[in-house]
Every structure is written in structure tokens, then in C-alpha cells.
Amino acid sequence: MMNRSLVKVVGAILFLGGVAFAQFVDVPFFRGVKAEVMISRPAKTKGGDFDDQMQVIKPRIKFTNTDNKQNYEKHQVSFMLVGESAVDRKVFKVLQRHDFEVNLPARQIVEEQAPDLTTRYDTTGLKFGYKYDGWILVVKDPLGQLALAKSSIPTLEKMPTQLGSLKQNGCYDKQLKPVEEPRLTQR
């Protein structure tokens, strides 16, 4: 309360003295930036046996700064593609993790093209592999604090602080606890 009064008084003095006074705008990243993930429709084509499937996923991430004055500099982004195990549907795997930095000036758009991902799986007979299930987007500010967490999988969005710790090729259960990679057992 006292600091705001002091800022107003100093601002009025500077304004009256003929010096322009810019007010600092502090809009959190999750309010000032619109984040969109565009995934090309996962193409299914035959590969190997007649029942094997292959998916090619081409992801793009788009950030739009909707604020007129606020810049967002040196924010660290982790974008992950996850797949559901064909052997055990309770297990998912981080198929790809793409980390990058985003610098977003006021009223600007920044787009990032993540590497393409090809995944193979079979859900019948001799089950193997992972089927594309969704994406995860985690943004941290320059101090390492969580600024934004989004996912196409609603249950994962409910655990935002844990999403940044997921590792490339790591297997997890629905509570984000690491698990062994599932193996098909023959009887």
C-alpha cells in the first residue's frame, strides 16, 4: 500500500517536471500470452506386418503476446509428445521432449517447429510400441518458476508442477510416477 502511494507521488513529480513516467506493467505469462499447439493429423500407414501401424506427427507451437506493453524474455519451454503403451494402456511414455527458449516482445507472435516424430505400434496379436496420445507444454520464467502448463490430456494438466520433470523416453503411470517399460509376456 505504501509502495503504490510512493510510486504515484514520484510519478506525479516526474510528470509535472516534464519527464515522461512509464508505469511498469506486470501481467503474468499465463494471462498475457496465448499458447497454441498445432499437431498435424497423425497419419496412419501400414508398416511391417498387416496389422502394424505407424504415425508421423508434425508439431508446431505458437505463442501470441496479447499485451500492449509487456515483454516476456528468456522463458524456458518444454514441449513433450506422449504415447500410450500398446501393451499396458495405463502406462504412457515421453516419446519426444523439445526444450527451447522463447523471447516474446509486446503484441508479437513467435512460432516454434518441433522435430517430426514417427512412432510404430501394434495393438493386436504381438503387441508393441506406443500410440500417440497427446502433448504437454510447460513454460518457466527466467527464475525457474512455473509460468504456464497446458496439455491435451486433462488429467495431466491437474499436476502442473510435476510436468516439467518428465524425461525423454521415460515411462510413467497416470499419477506421473516413473514405471518400468511394459513388456508383452507370452503364455
Side-chain angles (χ1 to χ4, degrees), residues 11-23:
I13 292 170
L14 289 174
F15 181 74
L16 293 174
V19 179
F21 177 67
Q23 182 182 0

Side-chain angles (χ1 to χ4, degrees), residues 3 9 11 17 22 24 31 39 41 43 48 54 56-57 73 87 96 99 112 116 134 151 157 187:
N3 288 341
V9 169
F24 181 72
R31 285 209 175 108
I39 302 288
R41 186 177 203 110
M54 179 177 75
V56 179
I57 297 111
E73 304 293 328
V87 177
Q96 179 185 83
D99 295 318
E112 175 78 13
D116 294 353
S151 177
E157 244 181 23
R187 289 186 182 185

Side-chain angles (χ1 to χ4, degrees), residues 68-124:
N68 290 327
K69 298 174 186 165
Q70 183 74 46
N71 294 329
Y72 299 98
E73 304 293 328
K74 299 191 182 293
H75 280 66
Q76 299 301 315
V77 181
S78 295
F79 175 74
M80 294 164 266
L81 294 172
V82 296
E84 178 183 79
S85 172
V87 177
D88 182 355
R89 295 185 63 195
K90 296 176 188 163
V91 174
F92 74 90
K93 182 176 187 175
V94 177
L95 301 172
Q96 179 185 83
R97 181 178 173 129
H98 178 62
D99 295 318
F100 61 97
E101 182 178 283
V102 68
N103 293 304
L104 197 56
R107 300 296 295 169
Q108 296 295 312
I109 296 172
V110 172
E111 219 174 280
E112 175 78 13
Q113 177 78 39
D116 294 353
L117 172 74
T118 301
T119 182
R120 292 176 175 79
Y121 66 95
D122 183 356
T123 57
T124 60

Side-chain angles (χ1 to χ4, degrees), residues 13 24 29 33 37 55 65 85 87 120 134 147 153 166 174 187:
I13 292 170
F24 181 72
F29 189 89
V33 175
V37 174
Q55 293 177 308
N65 187 343
S85 172
V87 177
R120 292 176 175 79
I153 306 167
L166 300 180
K174 300 296 180 187
R187 289 186 182 185

